[in-house]
Amino acid sequence: MKKITRLIMIATVFLFGLISSKTTLAAVESITEGTEWSGTVEGSKELTLIPADTGFYNVKLMDSAETCAIVSCFTEEGNQVMDDIYTNTESTVINAVNSLYLMKGKTYTIKIVCADAIDYEQLMQGDVSLLITKSSCSAFPLTEYKKETTAFTNGYSICTYTPTESRTYSFYFELKAGESIHYVDLYSKEGDCLIKQGTRDTSNTNNYALFHLNADTEYYFIVSYFDFTAESGSEAAAFSSIQKSDCITSIELNEAPISSTSFTYIPLVTGSLKINFENGESRILDFRSDIDYSEIETEYLGERDDTYHLRAGKQKVKFTYLDVFEITSEVDVLTKAQYAGEMYGSLAAGQKEVIPPNNWYHAEYKFTPTENGYYTLWYSTQDNLTLNELYSDWEYTVYDSQDNEVEWLSGKGFKLKANENYCFALYLGDNLTQYTFTYWLDLNTDHVHTYSPWTIIKPATTTESGKEERTCTDCGSVQTRTIDRIPAPIGNGNTIQNTPNGSNVTNTPVNPQPNTGIQASSPSKSNLTKVILKSLKAGRRKMVVKWKKTATAKGYQVQYSTNRKFKSKKTKTTGKTSLTIKNLKKKKTYYVRVRAYKTVNGKKSYGKWSSIKKIKIKK
């Protein structure tokens, strides 16, 4: 929950807070500090504010219980002032103390967004009241000794410090009683403005945060303190201090980290930095155990695939430590199968994994089958309960060595090849029972093979046995058997009659029979009808696709490409019967097709593609 809260705030900024250009303020309603504004917000609304003084301001926000109200503040240049203030369904009022640093006489845009409390992209109507007042709190001057300061529940504590020398410093902040979730945002003062320099999460660093500070610069350490069990804006005693740390001069990449094409960002899994200090000493810091993620930033400079994931291979990444020290190097970007092997290890066919009760569960294993065939998820419980009875949400997927999702074939499973590497991913939602769950991935024993004729792959001789094989024309399963040696001539040259072929037969695969209480997941056959594509309309670098609703469909896949045969395509998924596709290329002809899908036993089952329509983007 500690990092989820922060991620929600970051996601909120990204989805609703970004303003890329100067806002036109004409005809926009204004708000006056000290005077409460209230009204009904239809999705979003903008207000203007001109502060009477320079300093920190408090924000009191209230909304209706059905919505999540979000307030953001922007300068005339479109830059956001500090973080968003938001309410949720658990608390429909919030007092955010010291939440904005504003300058006298400047014009600010206050943006209010009302959204669904779970899906922030879904805008809603909400009744909102907003009060902005000048804060009476002053910044607490830091010293190297721990001194008592004040923390504000769901608000911001302010500490200030002006160093006399440029070096690395350690900032300390801790509540006097109880635990807290708090983050430290560092701002430098330039004129009357506060410029954000970096953020630290002190949840896993014993309340310490490292920063590199420049001499004779006035800094503000603004601590976000969250405790949703306490009243918003209430005061709590805390301790804070700042001390000189080992002075860092440069960094080196000691070992390349391992990242995965499963992500669009860089997850630091293994690897380390070599930190060089002013006194000539060095220290190796491991990404996973010694460096908090808030202390190091990664910027991917390499190639991406069509889905914007990192492309496997050697790729360039820039690392920034403590917001100052930078290094660019090549790292190994792994496929999903390779990444799963590093993180979770390998899973053999038939190898059983046991999950304790009352747990959500996610795992990704490297899976290398030794036999061709259809593979499926098998599981067992003491009372033969189904997955739907055990878990509120679940799904499992297999990816091939090129990171493509392997198609699930109804009643059969995943068609896999022997000795190839796959990634098997399993997700299970909250456990609704008190039962231990055991699962494994193995061949589907219900599959009936259709074998080709026997083919000799090694002829028999008088000294060695031969071998012949046949292959299932459906799943590729291979069955082999030996051919007896040819008897040596005796007496007058006659030979002993050879025994029939197949006296020694080896079957591959040897399909395990499911035990009592074991169930194989097998979605029912899809009965989705073919989608009827109604229309395509072109706009400025975009097109609108519409199609008729398909009965029993959960959603639809829309594919579009500039190639008639969809060799280079992009795919989008939606639950609606229309889709607007943006960022298209001018004067290009696009081909479009749509198909429906539904989810059966946790797996997607697809209908047939619609007929293909084409359209030219003129503007």
Side-chain angles (χ1 to χ4, degrees):
M1 285 300 295
K2 292 182 178 181
K3 293 192 176 180
I4 290 176
T5 304
R6 188 66 171 182
L7 289 173
I8 289 175
M9 296 180 68
I10 295 172
T12 303
V13 174
F14 179 76
L15 293 172
F16 304 113
L18 294 179
I19 294 181
S20 58
S21 60
K22 183 176 178 179
T23 305
T24 302
L25 300 177
V28 177
E29 189 177 350
S30 63
I31 182 174
T32 303
E33 67 175 81
T35 302
E36 183 179 278
W37 178 93
S38 63
T40 300
V41 176
E42 298 286 349
S44 65
K45 185 177 184 63
E46 291 186 356
L47 307 170
T48 59
L49 170 68
I50 302 177
D53 293 298
T54 296
F56 286 92
Y57 281 76
N58 303 333
V59 175
K60 182 179 181 181
L61 173 63
M62 180 180 293
D63 70 351
S64 51
E66 295 80 13
T67 61
C68 174
I70 304 162
V71 169
S72 308
C73 180
F74 299 90
T75 65
E76 291 183 277
E77 294 75 25
N79 299 317
Q80 184 168 2
V81 179
M82 297 176 65
D83 291 322
D84 289 346
I85 298 96
Y86 69 99
T87 63
N88 54 38
T89 54
E90 295 178 0
S91 172
T92 58
V93 60
I94 188 168
N95 291 299
V97 179
N98 302 326
S99 56
L100 297 175
Y101 184 84
L102 306 177
M103 291 180 290
K104 177 181 178 179
K106 296 288 185 179
T107 301
Y108 293 89
T109 299
I110 307 297
K111 185 173 182 180
I112 305 173
V113 174
C114 283
D116 181 86
I118 298 176
D119 182 5
Y120 288 166
E121 293 187 14
Q122 182 66 42
L123 299 186
M124 301 176 64
Q125 175 182 297
D127 296 324
V128 177
S129 65
L130 180 65
L131 177 64
I132 300 177
T133 57
K134 182 72 166 57
S135 174
S136 59
C137 303
S138 58
F140 179 81
L142 290 168
T143 68
E144 62 180 314
Y145 305 104
K146 294 180 183 179
K147 291 187 177 181
E148 188 168 320
T149 183
T150 304
F152 296 94
T153 304
N154 304 329
Y156 299 83
S157 297
I158 312 167
C159 300
T160 185
Y161 183 69
T162 302
T164 57
E165 60 178 307
S166 299
R167 60 175 301 117
T168 308
Y169 290 84
S170 177
F171 172 74
Y172 174 83
F173 184 93
E174 182 184 20
L175 287 181
K176 187 175 182 179
E179 297 181 356
S180 68
I181 306 170
H182 56 265
Y183 300 83
V184 182
D185 293 321
L186 177 67
Y187 290 82
S188 63
K189 191 170 184 180
E190 299 181 12
D192 287 331
C193 296
L194 292 188
I195 309 299
K196 192 171 185 178
Q197 302 296 326
T199 300
R200 299 288 182 270
D201 176 3
T202 62
S203 303
N204 299 315
T205 57
N206 295 321
N207 302 313
Y208 285 93
L210 287 177
F211 292 99
H212 185 85
L213 307 181
N214 294 320
D216 303 321
T217 300
E218 186 176 352
Y219 288 98
Y220 286 84
F221 299 83
I222 301 179
V223 183
S224 309
Y225 162 47
F226 301 97
D227 183 357
F228 294 114
T229 62
E231 182 181 354
S232 292
S234 59
E235 294 186 7
F239 294 107
S240 60
S241 66
I242 192 164
Q243 294 180 337
K244 294 179 180 179
S245 183
D246 293 335
C247 193
I248 300 172
T249 57
S250 63
I251 62 172
E252 301 175 40
L253 189 63
N254 187 57
E255 296 177 11
I258 296 174
S259 50
S260 168
T261 54
S262 301
F263 304 94
T264 57
Y265 63 92
I266 296 283
L268 300 178
V269 180
T270 63
S272 57
L273 283 180
K274 182 179 180 182
I275 311 297
N276 301 315
F277 299 97
E278 189 176 48
N279 61 4
E281 296 180 355
S282 297
R283 188 181 307 152
I284 302 298
L285 299 182
D286 183 78
F287 283 135
R288 299 184 69 178
S289 59
D290 301 324
I291 299 178
D292 187 80
Y293 281 158
S294 65
E295 295 176 353
I296 186 167
E297 294 181 2
T298 56
E299 181 182 357
Y300 185 70
L301 305 177
E303 298 179 352
R304 296 181 182 269
D305 60 20
D306 293 339
T307 61
Y308 203 63
H309 287 159
L310 314 183
R311 190 179 296 280
K314 291 283 187 181
Q315 303 292 352
K316 286 188 177 181
V317 177
K318 183 173 76 172
F319 300 93
T320 304
Y321 183 56
L322 301 185
D323 308 304
V324 174
F325 306 101
E326 296 181 354
I327 185 172
T328 299
S329 184
E330 281 192 335
V331 301
D332 292 320
V333 178
L334 304 186
T335 64
K336 288 182 173 66
Q338 292 170 329
Y339 180 78
E342 291 286 344
M343 285 295 294
Y344 294 94
S346 296
L347 185 71
Q351 178 182 331
K352 295 184 178 181
E353 296 293 318
V354 179
I355 304 171
N358 295 323
N359 280 329
W360 76 273
Y361 180 83
H362 172 78
E364 295 183 2
Y365 288 101
K366 179 182 177 182
F367 184 74
T368 308
T370 57
E371 305 168 6
N372 295 334
Y374 289 112
Y375 286 77
T376 188
L377 176 71
W378 297 78
Y379 60 91
S380 66
T381 62
Q382 60 201 63
D383 287 342
N384 298 333
L385 297 175
T386 66
L387 268 173
N388 288 331
E389 293 173 307
L390 279 169
Y391 295 94
S392 57
D393 187 23
W394 58 272
E395 65 176 18
Y396 59 97
T397 313
V398 173
Y399 299 93
D400 64 19
S401 59
Q402 301 301 314
D403 291 335
N404 299 309
E405 185 173 342
V406 180
E407 183 180 3
W408 167 270
L409 298 177
S410 180
K412 296 180 179 179
F414 300 103
K415 186 178 180 179
L416 307 182
K417 296 181 180 179
N419 303 318
E420 288 201 11
N421 294 327
Y422 296 90
C423 171
F424 167 66
L426 174 67
Y427 165 78
L428 302 172
D430 292 335
N431 196 343
L432 304 181
T433 68
Q434 300 294 318
Y435 296 105
T436 298
F437 177 75
T438 302
Y439 75 88
W440 61 100
L441 190 68
D442 210 344
L443 286 160
N444 183 2
T445 57
D446 294 333
H447 173 58
V448 179
H449 299 292
T450 305
Y451 284 111
S452 62
W454 288 102
T455 301
I456 297 176
I457 58 175
K458 179 184 177 183
T461 67
T462 57
T463 57
E464 291 185 353
S465 300
K467 183 181 291 186
E468 59 184 355
E469 68 179 21
R470 60 180 182 176
T471 304
C472 177
T473 55
D474 183 11
C475 71
S477 174
V478 178
Q479 188 180 59
T480 62
R481 67 182 183 184
T482 59
I483 305 172
D484 289 344
R485 291 180 299 172
I486 299 174
I490 58 174
N492 57 3
N494 294 329
T495 59
I496 300 175
Q497 188 71 28
N498 190 20
T499 59
N501 286 345
S503 58
N504 243 336
V505 178
T506 302
N507 290 320
T508 306
V510 179
N511 293 332
Q513 295 299 318
N515 298 322
T516 302
I518 300 174
Q519 304 169 3
S521 58
S522 55
S524 60
K525 188 175 182 181
S526 172
N527 58 356
L528 293 169
T529 58
K530 184 177 180 180
V531 173
I532 298 176
L533 187 54
K534 291 169 57 177
S535 64
L536 294 179
K537 290 186 179 180
R540 184 179 295 274
R541 295 189 63 195
K542 68 179 182 180
M543 62 178 168
V544 180
V545 188
K546 294 184 178 181
W547 57 91
K548 288 188 177 181
K549 185 176 181 180
T550 299
T552 73
K554 181 180 179 181
Y556 302 88
Q557 269 194 347
V558 181
Q559 281 191 352
Y560 61 101
S561 175
T562 55
N563 182 278
R564 186 188 302 270
K565 295 183 179 181
F566 290 84
K567 290 184 178 180
S568 178
K569 62 184 180 293
K570 292 187 178 181
T571 304
K572 292 185 178 293
T573 302
T574 180
K576 301 178 181 179
T577 55
S578 65
L579 181 67
T580 300
I581 301 174
K582 301 179 180 180
N583 299 323
L584 301 178
K585 296 181 180 179
K586 298 179 184 178
K587 299 180 182 181
K588 284 283 188 180
T589 298
Y590 284 85
Y591 298 87
V592 182
R593 62 184 181 181
V594 184
R595 68 176 177 179
Y597 73 85
K598 64 180 180 179
T599 304
V600 182
N601 291 336
K603 300 305 298 180
K604 286 182 178 178
S605 179
Y606 296 94
K608 294 182 179 180
W609 286 109
S610 68
S611 58
I612 298 173
K613 288 184 178 290
K614 66 178 181 178
I615 191 169
K616 187 170 184 178
I617 308 300
K618 296 181 180 180
K619 298 181 180 181

